[in-house]
């Protein structure tokens, strides 16, 4: 904190500026979940293009986090902060003005990469404020309160602007806020030139490029699989081959060159592997596919009302942040907190399973949404701390990048794509079933004819499909929590094993 601002700036002014910068960098994402539907409709595009853009942003963030340590050895804090904010501003302007979805995807990918150097400068200073020992468990609750709360708030705000005015109005607001952030950085942040710099040209940029290409190819397969009928499409086959080929070349290069960009040794740590698995499993529970199908398809909510449901998550996020801060301040075991988080998701799905009906009102979303917000925040904090524990500074950034890839892209992206396809297939199956049962004297009698009859059949098939898949998620949730509890009891009974030196990865 004391190395970022000019000395004449008072402490009571530095803190709100830091929080503002942190919020802006986290939330100015180039593509916003709130106006995706309006954006796609206005431009006459598939919404999958902009879903792919959201995933591309997380891929860019992961790669940016993996390279940030090297960038900090070359550029000053003010340079990184200004460069990151300026690129974010430019990419948001491009997203606001272009009608080509592929340009949007590339711009958001670049934005995700560029936001990390700026974000980490603010992150480190605030971490020093929360803990002089740089204990991330003190700071993580605040990070995810801002990140998740800001995400839900901007989703609702951008949806309202898009619905009542135009989807581009959201970008006007974002550009104005970014300009304010750049102005504050120019005026208040002191430039401290590095005493010794390290050239970035010696970095393994080829491996970074290979990893980025492989993840973007996988993104194409996951997002466009439903639209292009999966592997019946030549484009999907080519993208799948490109993903496998580029990823294998990346692995081979990482194993063979003397100074690789990526350190595979991080996978030798058991807590890291388990944490990544838990983040991948999080995708089973955290997707909003079924709630969106229910609120938009059955209850016929307009976009602002549908996105207003995200505001119901914020009280749960607040409660989870407070609980996690107290929990880790008292240095309690992390495993019960992970169990509590997944149990929250299980409770949420049970509540939704019992509530799938045409009579569900918007106020009925309060309780399950609070539970979901609580569970999401708890898992992000607890599993995040568990995954990156005991890593030194040189490796924790790499581990954090992999964590973002698995949590925000691989887990959520893959399961969202799978759920969308399953929901579509099951809806068609149930619609066929109901249509067979329908006749002039029986099942939807009398006044329901033509469009009214089809609407009723479509709603019932969507309800049946959503309830069926949610039931499978609940069964899986019970099994997962049982495994987590048994594992925690095993740890408590056996005790903590002595710490041994980590083995090195053979080339």
């Amino acid at each position: 904190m004391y190395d970022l601002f000019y000395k004449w700036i008072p402490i009571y002014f530095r803190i709100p500026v830091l929080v503002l910068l942190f919020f802006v960098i986290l939330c100015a994402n180039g593509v916003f979940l709130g106006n995706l539907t309006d954006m796609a409709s206005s431009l006459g595009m598939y919404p999958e293009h902009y879903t792919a853009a959201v995933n591309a942003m997380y891929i860019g963030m992961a790669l940016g986090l993996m390279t940030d340590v090297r960038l900090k050895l070359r550029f000053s804090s003010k340079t990184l902060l200004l460069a990151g904010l300026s690129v974010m501003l430019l990419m948001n302007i491009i997203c606001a003005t272009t009608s080509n979805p592929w340009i949007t995807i590339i711009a958001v990918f670049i934005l995700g990469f560029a936001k990390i150097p700026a974000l980490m400068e603010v992150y480190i200073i605030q971490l020093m404020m929360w803990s002089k020992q740089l204990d991330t468990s003190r700071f993580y609750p605040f990070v995810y309160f801002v990140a998740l709360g800001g995400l839900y708030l901007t989703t609702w705000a951008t949806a309202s602007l898009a619905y009542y005015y135009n989807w581009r109005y959201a970008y006007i607001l974002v550009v104005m806020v970014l300009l304010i952030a750049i102005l504050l950085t120019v005026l208040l942040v002191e430039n401290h030139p590095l005493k010794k710099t390290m050239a970035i040209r010696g970095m393994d940029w080829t491996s970074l490029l290979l990893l980025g290409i492989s993840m973007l190819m996988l993104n194409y397969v996951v997002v466009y699989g439903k639209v292009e009928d999966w592997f019946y499409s030549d484009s999907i086959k080519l993208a799948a081959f490109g993903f496998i080929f580029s990823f294998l070349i990346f692995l081979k290069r990482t194993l063979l060159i003397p100074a690789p960009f990526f350190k595979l040794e991080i996978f030798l740590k058991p807590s890291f592997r388990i944490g990544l698995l838990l983040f991948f499993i999080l995708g089973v529970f955290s997707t909003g596919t079924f709630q969106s199908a229910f609120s938009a398809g059955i209850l016929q909510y307009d976009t602002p009302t549908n996105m207003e449901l995200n505001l119901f998550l914020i009280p749960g996020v607040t409660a989870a942040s407070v609980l996690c801060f107290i929990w880790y301040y008292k240095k309690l075991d992390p495993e019960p907190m992970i169990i509590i988080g997944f149990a929250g998701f299980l409770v949420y799905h049970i509540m939704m399973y019992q509530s799938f009906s045409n009579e569900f009102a918007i106020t009925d979303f309060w309780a399950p949404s609070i539970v979901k917000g609580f569970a999401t925040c708890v898992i992000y904090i607890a599993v995040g701390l568990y995954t990156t524990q005991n890593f030194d500074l040189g490796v924790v950034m790499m581990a954090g990048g992999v964590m973002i890839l698995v949590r925000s892209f691989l887990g959520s992206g893959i399961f969202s794509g799978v759920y969308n396809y399953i929901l579509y297939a099951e809806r068609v199956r149930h619609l066929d079933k109901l249509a067979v049962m329908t006749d002039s004297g029986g099942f939807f009698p009398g006044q329901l004819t033509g469009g009214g009859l089809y609407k009723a059949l479509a709603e019932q098939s969507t309800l049946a499909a959503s309830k069926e898949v949610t039931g499978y998620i609940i069964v899986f949730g019970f099994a997962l929590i049982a495994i987590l509890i048994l594992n925690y009891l095993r740890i408590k009974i056996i005790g903590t094993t002595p710490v041994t030196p980590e083995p090195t990865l053979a080339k």
Side-chain angles (χ1 to χ4, degrees):
M1 175 179 173
Y2 303 103
D3 294 330
L4 190 63
F5 294 102
Y6 289 105
K7 291 184 173 61
W8 56 267
I9 299 171
I11 184 71
Y12 58 80
F13 192 67
R14 298 181 186 189
I15 294 175
V17 169
L18 280 172
V19 174
L20 174 64
L21 291 175
F22 197 57
F23 176 82
V24 171
I25 296 170
L26 281 172
C27 299
N29 292 331
V31 172
F32 306 97
L33 297 175
N35 64 357
L36 284 186
T37 303
D38 295 270
M39 193 175 180
S41 300
S42 174
L43 298 175
M45 301 292 177
Y46 285 120
E48 280 77 10
H49 290 304
Y50 304 101
T51 303
V54 173
N55 291 340
M57 183 199 66
Y58 289 119
I59 295 171
M61 287 179 64
L63 298 180
L65 197 57
M66 294 176 188
T67 59
D68 186 64
V69 172
R70 193 60 178 269
L71 293 176
K72 284 184 67 64
L73 297 174
R74 176 63 182 84
F75 302 104
S76 67
S77 296
K78 185 168 186 175
T79 301
L80 291 173
L81 191 54
L82 271 178
L85 289 169
S86 300
V87 173
M88 290 175 67
L89 175 65
L90 177 61
M91 293 303 112
N92 272 282
I93 292 173
I94 291 175
C95 291
T97 55
T98 185
S99 299
N100 189 323
W102 301 107
I103 293 178
T104 300
I105 292 173
I106 295 171
V108 174
F109 172 74
I110 295 171
L111 182 147
F113 186 92
K115 77 155 52 182
I116 290 298
L119 180 66
M120 292 310 300
E121 295 306 316
V122 181
Y123 175 92
I124 292 172
I125 298 303
Q126 292 198 86
L127 177 59
M128 293 170 58
M129 290 172 51
W130 285 81
S131 172
K132 293 181 179 179
Q133 293 76 32
L134 301 182
D135 183 2
T136 53
S137 65
R138 302 278 186 92
F139 185 44
Y140 257 42
F142 172 77
V143 170
Y144 285 109
F145 171 75
V146 175
L148 293 174
L151 174 65
Y152 301 143
L153 184 62
T154 54
T155 298
W156 167 76
T158 53
S160 300
L161 286 172
Y163 184 81
Y164 293 111
Y165 301 100
N166 185 281
W167 61 268
R168 286 189 169 91
Y169 276 67
Y171 289 98
I172 296 174
L173 178 62
V174 170
V175 166
M176 290 173 59
V177 175
L178 280 169
L179 286 172
I180 293 172
I182 291 173
L183 181 62
L184 289 173
T185 302
V186 171
L187 296 177
L188 305 181
V189 174
E190 185 175 3
N191 187 35
H192 295 278
L194 300 178
K195 295 180 180 179
K196 185 178 180 181
T197 61
M198 180 180 291
I200 60 174
R201 62 176 176 270
M203 185 176 166
D204 183 17
W205 293 104
T206 303
S207 294
L208 179 68
L209 181 63
L210 286 169
L211 181 59
I213 290 172
S214 66
M215 291 298 103
L216 290 173
M217 290 291 104
L218 179 60
N219 184 25
Y220 186 91
V221 174
V222 169
V223 174
Y224 293 95
K226 175 188 170 184
V227 175
E228 300 190 16
D229 201 13
W230 296 98
F231 291 99
Y232 288 100
S233 166
D234 291 336
S235 299
I236 296 295
K237 292 177 184 176
L238 183 62
F241 174 78
F243 158 66
I244 295 171
F245 180 76
S246 56
F247 190 71
L248 289 177
I249 295 297
F250 162 75
L251 287 179
K252 181 181 178 181
R253 183 178 176 83
T254 301
L255 290 169
L256 293 180
I257 65 174
F261 149 74
F262 191 87
K263 300 182 184 299
L264 293 175
E265 290 90 343
I266 60 177
F267 288 98
L268 296 174
K269 186 178 282 294
S271 61
F272 182 69
R273 298 195 301 268
I274 295 172
L276 292 183
L277 177 62
L278 291 174
F279 269 135
F280 184 75
I281 292 174
L282 176 62
V284 176
F285 301 98
S286 62
T287 176
T289 301
F290 302 110
Q291 180 174 304
S292 297
F294 178 50
S295 59
I298 304 300
L299 303 179
Q300 301 294 314
Y301 289 164
D302 56 33
T303 304
T305 305
N306 200 24
M307 294 304 168
E308 185 181 336
L309 302 179
N310 287 299
L311 298 180
F312 298 172
L313 300 168
I314 295 178
V317 170
T318 305
S321 300
V322 173
L323 174 63
C324 287
F325 180 83
I326 296 172
W327 188 278
Y328 288 103
Y329 182 80
K330 294 186 175 182
K331 301 187 182 303
L332 301 176
D333 293 337
E335 290 83 3
M337 189 56 65
I338 296 174
I339 295 171
I340 290 171
F342 280 110
F345 276 115
L346 178 60
V347 171
Y348 164 77
H349 281 91
I350 292 174
M351 295 172 74
M352 292 303 297
Y353 182 86
Q354 295 175 337
S355 304
F356 281 131
S357 68
N358 293 327
E359 290 79 26
F360 203 70
I362 188 170
T363 53
D364 297 322
F365 278 103
W366 263 106
S369 294
I370 289 174
V371 172
K372 183 181 180 182
F374 174 86
T376 302
C377 189
V378 166
I379 291 297
Y380 271 50
I381 295 171
V383 180
L385 289 171
Y386 182 81
T387 305
T388 57
Q389 64 181 344
N390 300 326
F391 280 125
D392 58 39
L393 183 61
V395 182
V396 72
M397 307 291 278
M398 191 75 61
V402 179
M403 188 178 73
I404 289 177
L405 270 181
V406 174
R407 183 194 70 197
S408 301
F409 166 53
L410 292 177
S412 61
I414 288 175
F415 283 106
S416 292
V418 170
Y419 283 157
N420 278 322
Y421 178 77
I422 291 176
L423 188 60
Y424 167 76
E426 289 300 300
R427 196 157 41 195
V428 171
R429 185 175 69 84
H430 284 288
L431 185 61
D432 289 343
K433 233 182 195 184
L434 291 171
V436 170
M437 298 169 58
T438 305
D439 56 36
S440 58
F443 193 55
F444 284 102
Q447 47 286 53
L448 287 180
T449 57
L453 177 60
Y454 176 78
K455 181 175 181 292
L457 290 174
E459 288 180 355
Q460 290 300 319
S461 62
T462 301
L463 284 173
S466 300
K467 200 159 188 172
E468 183 178 5
V469 182
T470 303
Y472 290 127
I473 294 175
I474 291 171
V475 172
F476 178 79
F478 275 115
L480 174 64
I481 290 172
I483 293 171
L484 292 175
I485 292 174
L486 290 174
N487 181 65
Y488 178 60
L489 292 176
R490 178 186 64 81
I491 293 173
K492 297 301 287 185
I493 293 172
I494 296 176
T496 305
T497 55
V499 177
T500 56
E502 295 289 342
T504 58
L505 187 70
K507 292 185 178 178

